[in-house]
Amino acid sequence: MGISRDAVLKGFSAGGYIIDAQMATAVALMDSLQRPLLLEGDAGVGKTEVAKSLSKMLDCDLIRLQCYEGLDAHSAVYEWNYQRQLLAIKVRENDDLSAAEKEQHIFDRDFLLERPLLQSISQDQRPVLLIDEIDRADEEFEAYLMEVLSDYQISVPELGTIRAKTVPLVILTSNGTRELSDALRRRCLYHYVDYPDEAKELRIVNARLPEIDQILAGQIVRFVQALRKEDLRKTPGIAETLDWAAALVGIGVSHLEGEAEAVHETLLCLLKTREDQEQMPIEVVERLLGKVA
Amino acid sequence: MTGLTATPFLDASGEPSFVRQMNGFVGLLRENGFVVGIREQLDAMDVLRVMKWSDQRQLRAAWRTLLCTRLADWQGFDDLFDAWWLRLGLKSRARISGMSNRASKRKTLQDLGDNGGQWKVDHVEQDDGEGQASDSPNRSEGASVSESLEAMDMRHVHDPEQLEKAGLIAEKLARKMVHRLARRDRATRRGHRLDLRKVIRRSSGSGGMPMRLFYRRRAPKPLRLVMLMDASGSMNQYGAFFLRFMRGALDNFRQADAFVFHTRLVHIGEVMRERNTEKAIERLSLMTTGWSGGTRIGESLKNFNRHYAKRTVHGRTVVMILSDGYDTSPPEMLNTELARLKKRAKRLVWLNPMMAWTGYEPTAKGMEAALPHIDLLAPAHNLDSLAALEPYLARL
């Protein structure tokens, strides 16, 4: 079952995710070449959303593995349920079973806790596997992940090798806190997710907040676009734009002009560090508003 | 959109001429720092089965996502695509040698020394940078080049080939440090949470009764290294050498960042990670106009403390300053700024290449002001002195 580029374009739009042709091609290739897709870009540009939208479009499960420093195979692949194993050993202590039989019992699949990676290859229906912020995991884990992603099989010493029932659609995201290995990069399709341009962001706002006033939406988007050009510690992403738009609608602002105060007060939706907020006193807000409203 | 259909191998998706063209294109990409394997090339050609050659937009999008591996590739792909397939010519993209890109690191490095004769390249790969069997014409002493290089003051190394070697070793050294540090992390993993997996495994000896308990602890946060390099005139002779060391550390430390200062502070961490050689050099030279002039260490540190320290320096950070301590800003300033930095960092290491000069005493005013705040003042004039740092870092 191939996913065509046009199907992706249509499916994502129906799900409320505004996708460009380049990204749609990448998603389609991911299916036809059976390669993982690596998405890079700043926080808040909608990398994770791609996986969510894809699973929505295909109506399949989304399995998410959040990476962090120190993530190891036990929390990513599988773990034996030790508590149950200990109990089982105790319960059967006085049974007349041989040691081998007892062992077989406690190393049954019932005692295996499936973590995201194992889970994703043992589904009947092909899931979307989201490996979020792979750059936060250690190099060792990255190498292990490579192995899983190229063979789609996992070996559990006590059980043997578990082969993939279905090959998941894998999306990896990275914020670039650490340089990823060339091997992993080569294996993956690549897409750099940038901040959207004005037209695209406007479409996103409209898709997510269908009731919003058109003039207000335009002003909001232009303001955020202007704000991104300022020298900020943390550039606001799309999620921030949407939050801010919702906040403005919520407090009943219908146009931005003359509302510098309301804008300034709601800037906390957009600016998430103290330095950035200090850098945006009401005068600067007025100047920016003058440009966009 | 029109150029593609005009190319001579329009309908030949499997024909030798097309394969040759494709090889050329992939070669061009590799030269520009792309990491493209054979599988990727085959897949790229495979894409043509489902896409029409004439639908350039879609093909370009597909190849872009398939053949790019990082942001720099992503941004440069269109130009290269146009250059090769639409014959628009390579404007300024032809690669130049100098600092290396990963795809052909050794080759480029060697190119600097001697316009890249092929046998030389092979030679270097064989001896793997150790310099065990170097028979280069420039070598006259009896010990191997690397042995002598390691003890040699970098000030006296002028031969480009030897400089390259030293650079390679400096990079390797940085890499080795990382490995040692990483191993230490795991060896100390013992502590708060029960490691049930191990408890059960080891309980088989006592008939399944968990007699001995094993613990695990989260690995300590990895050490972060922030390097500040003095690029003033007085440090000129060491600049290239330290840059190489910094590059090695940046590539291999899990968390590292680099800055250069002279009369002002420049953040070069991002640029040094840039794989596209030409871009890296271009950006580096843009950012560093005014190099090799006077030094304002105090002011640069003030700038660092105000704008970068919060983000880059935490409790597991070693701040490494590479400077001779000749400062034109007031010493009091350096004093206060170092005190500030010291509060934030785990260790302050000052590497001063002049310490090895016979008769040198840290009497430069800047150095005097700095001494009370630094944890380690060490020489850094040759490879051996850099290597001596590693045990110190490993103890932290």
Side-chain angles (χ1 to χ4, degrees):
Chain A
M1 50 173 284
I3 311 173
S4 76
R5 188 184 69 131
D6 297 336
V8 174
L9 277 172
K10 219 187 276 164
F12 272 59
S13 307
Y17 187 93
I18 308 300
I19 188 173
D20 54 33
Q22 173 74 58
M23 176 79 93
T25 305
V27 172
L29 276 184
M30 194 166 90
D31 175 52
S32 63
L33 298 178
Q34 296 221 338
R35 280 173 184 269
L37 172 63
L38 171 64
L39 298 176
E40 270 192 319
D42 289 346
V45 290
K47 299 186 294 289
T48 308
E49 254 346 273
V50 176
K52 288 187 185 155
S53 303
L54 182 60
S55 80
K56 211 197 268 175
M57 178 186 117
L58 297 175
D59 193 22
C60 63
D61 285 339
L62 172 67
I63 298 171
R64 179 170 179 167
L65 173 63
Q66 173 67 47
C67 296
Y68 53 87
E69 217 170 89
L71 174 69
D72 57 6
H74 304 316
S75 14
V77 189
Y78 72 91
E79 177 86 302
W80 288 103
N81 190 337
Y82 301 111
Q83 284 87 344
R84 270 192 74 189
Q85 280 181 328
L86 279 172
L87 269 176
I89 295 171
K90 273 284 158 204
V91 167
R92 303 196 158 216
E93 212 167 33
N94 299 320
D95 286 7
D96 287 331
L97 296 169
S98 71
E101 278 171 316
K102 281 182 187 168
E103 186 187 313
Q104 185 139 46
H105 175 67
I106 64 161
F107 286 118
D108 191 77
R109 255 196 112 155
D110 289 346
F111 290 88
L112 194 68
L113 296 173
E114 290 187 352
R115 302 292 192 212
L117 284 184
L118 182 58
Q119 217 180 336
S120 72
I121 66 163
S122 42
Q123 304 279 316
D124 290 323
Q125 199 210 343
R126 176 173 65 165
V128 173
L129 171 63
L130 169 65
I131 301 174
D132 218 355
E133 304 189 319
I134 174 69
D135 50 330
R136 287 187 192 278
D138 306 328
E139 283 99 339
E140 297 84 2
F141 181 75
E142 196 185 308
Y144 180 80
L145 190 65
M146 276 285 295
E147 201 184 305
V148 175
L149 291 185
S150 56
D151 300 341
Y152 292 108
Q153 60 179 33
I154 288 168
S155 61
V156 179
E158 296 86 351
L159 282 179
T161 302
I162 301 175
R163 273 175 215 295
K165 277 191 195 164
T166 50
V167 173
L169 291 159
V170 186
I171 293 183
L172 300 103
T173 74
S174 162
N175 287 332
T177 57
R178 174 174 68 79
E179 180 63 25
L180 301 175
S181 76
D182 277 350
L184 182 71
R185 286 180 178 278
R186 205 186 64 212
R187 173 89 198 107
C188 294
L189 298 172
Y190 181 85
H191 188 98
Y192 185 80
V193 190
D194 215 338
Y195 290 104
D197 59 19
E198 194 181 317
K200 189 178 172 193
E201 190 159 28
L202 190 59
R203 282 169 63 205
I204 297 171
V205 171
N206 278 323
R208 290 302 174 92
L209 301 166
E211 275 100 60
I212 198 167
D213 180 75
Q214 279 314 297
I215 300 171
L216 179 64
Q219 287 174 336
I220 287 173
V221 169
R222 278 195 300 280
F223 185 85
V224 176
Q225 294 271 343
L227 199 61
R228 288 205 184 108
K229 292 196 183 99
E230 299 287 316
D231 183 25
L232 295 175
R233 281 276 297 275
K234 164 82 189 71
T235 311
I238 298 167
E240 276 82 13
T241 312
L242 292 172
D243 279 353
W244 190 48
L248 287 173
V249 171
I251 61 171
V253 172
S254 53
H255 297 290
L256 290 188
E257 64 265 277
E259 295 275 8
E261 206 146 314
V263 170
H264 187 245
E265 275 161 17
T266 49
L267 270 188
L268 53 101
C269 299
L270 294 173
L271 304 174
K272 305 288 176 72
T273 72
R274 207 176 127 225
E275 289 95 326
D276 287 352
Q277 286 178 0
E278 278 170 0
Q279 218 186 308
M280 285 289 148
I282 197 148
E283 298 78 35
V284 181
V285 171
E286 271 166 0
R287 175 173 63 80
L288 281 179
L289 276 181
K291 277 193 224 159
V292 302
Chain B
M1 310 295 125
T2 52
L4 272 186
T5 43
T7 40
F9 39 84
L10 170 68
D11 53 355
S13 49
E15 251 181 46
S17 74
F18 172 72
V19 174
R20 213 177 311 128
Q21 287 287 337
M22 196 65 201
N23 283 342
F25 180 55
V26 170
L28 177 71
L29 293 180
R30 288 198 187 117
E31 271 179 25
N32 281 277
F34 284 58
V35 186
V36 184
I38 292 175
R39 271 291 305 275
E40 283 69 37
Q41 183 175 351
L42 291 178
D43 275 355
M45 290 159 79
D46 230 31
V47 164
L48 282 174
R49 279 173 217 262
V50 288
M51 279 177 198
K52 276 199 244 54
W53 180 247
S54 51
D55 185 356
Q56 191 221 131
R57 283 237 323 261
Q58 204 180 341
L59 185 70
R60 184 192 287 255
W63 279 2
R64 192 180 195 194
T65 184
L66 183 61
L67 300 173
C68 292
T69 57
R70 49 173 51 87
L71 178 57
D73 300 355
W74 187 255
Q75 289 164 340
F77 183 82
D78 274 346
D79 286 353
L80 291 169
F81 186 94
D82 291 346
W84 186 262
W85 299 107
L86 307 183
R87 306 262 179 257
L88 292 183
L90 270 182
K91 273 160 267 164
S92 57
R93 287 217 155 255
R95 114 124 173 296
I96 48 170
S97 58
M99 290 168 69
S100 62
N101 58 47
R102 177 160 288 183
S104 54
K105 188 174 257 173
R106 290 200 176 119
K107 207 164 161 182
T108 358
L109 291 176
Q110 196 60 15
D111 285 353
L112 257 190
D114 59 43
N115 298 328
Q118 194 55 47
W119 67 273
K120 282 266 184 207
V121 174
D122 292 337
H123 186 76
V124 167
E125 286 189 21
Q126 271 165 22
D127 75 32
D128 201 24
E130 295 292 344
Q132 290 301 323
S134 174
D135 288 315
S136 63
N138 296 308
R139 193 175 138 265
S140 52
E141 59 286 327
S144 78
V145 169
S146 88
E147 260 171 14
S148 59
L149 260 181
E150 274 154 16
M152 221 157 147
D153 192 326
M154 291 315 294
R155 199 158 41 114
H156 302 310
V157 181
H158 300 298
D159 175 34
E161 203 168 306
Q162 290 208 343
L163 267 178
E164 278 314 311
K165 273 242 160 76
L168 262 185
I169 298 173
E171 274 181 38
K172 259 179 112 175
L173 200 67
R175 214 167 304 155
K176 228 162 71 185
M177 279 185 189
V178 180
H179 283 305
R180 284 281 297 271
L181 295 178
R183 263 209 306 267
R184 283 185 60 88
D185 273 2
R186 249 156 304 158
T188 57
R189 207 181 283 187
R190 252 327 105 119
H192 301 302
R193 250 174 40 227
L194 264 183
D195 187 349
L196 272 171
R197 186 189 187 90
K198 206 163 171 191
V199 170
I200 296 232
R201 279 253 160 264
R202 295 295 172 85
S203 71
S204 56
S206 46
M209 179 67 77
M211 300 289 283
R212 283 169 61 201
L213 298 181
F214 296 89
Y215 296 91
R216 54 190 294 132
R217 178 168 63 190
R218 278 194 66 167
K221 263 191 175 176
L223 208 59
R224 185 184 287 180
L225 184 65
V226 174
M227 295 165 287
L228 296 156
M229 190 188 103
D230 185 340
S232 59
S234 51
M235 288 282 288
N236 210 358
Q237 294 146 313
Y238 297 99
F241 169 65
F242 284 148
L243 272 180
R244 296 293 291 270
F245 176 75
M246 280 159 72
R247 190 186 166 89
L250 279 177
D251 263 7
N252 294 286
F253 258 80
R254 237 168 246 176
Q255 300 182 330
D257 215 336
F259 297 82
V260 154
F261 62 88
H262 35 91
T263 48
R264 59 198 174 88
L265 182 79
V266 184
H267 182 198
I268 59 166
E270 286 300 307
V271 187
M272 297 271 286
R273 285 203 180 91
E274 172 76 65
R275 292 307 160 84
N276 185 319
T277 322
E278 184 197 351
K279 256 202 209 149
I281 291 178
E282 195 179 294
R283 285 179 60 188
L284 207 59
S285 55
L286 254 181
M287 291 167 91
T288 50
T289 39
W291 269 39
S292 304
T295 337
R296 280 194 224 127
I297 308 181
E299 220 151 281
S300 301
L301 279 180
K302 189 174 175 187
N303 191 354
F304 177 78
N305 277 337
R306 181 174 307 157
H307 296 293
Y308 299 99
K310 254 177 233 161
R311 243 179 309 167
T312 49
V313 181
H314 61 30
R316 292 275 306 154
T317 305
V318 174
V319 178
M320 192 185 272
I321 299 172
L322 301 151
S323 168
D324 53 18
Y326 287 112
D327 191 2
T328 48
S329 44
E332 304 79 54
M333 192 179 216
L334 181 62
N335 197 328
T336 32
E337 295 307 326
L338 273 179
R340 232 172 248 170
L341 190 55
K342 170 76 184 128
K343 269 195 207 130
R344 212 179 267 282
K346 182 165 180 78
R347 290 283 188 279
L348 261 182
V349 177
W350 190 300
L351 299 184
N352 188 337
M354 297 203 180
M355 268 182 63
W357 296 12
T358 35
Y360 173 82
E361 287 282 316
T363 48
K365 273 209 200 89
M367 238 26 256
E368 248 169 51
L371 272 177
H373 303 294
I374 51 188
D375 299 295
L376 176 74
L377 175 66
H381 59 295
N382 61 16
L383 291 162
D384 275 340
S385 59
L386 280 183
L389 274 177
E390 191 248 319
Y392 175 80
L393 290 179
R395 275 201 306 277
L396 299 180

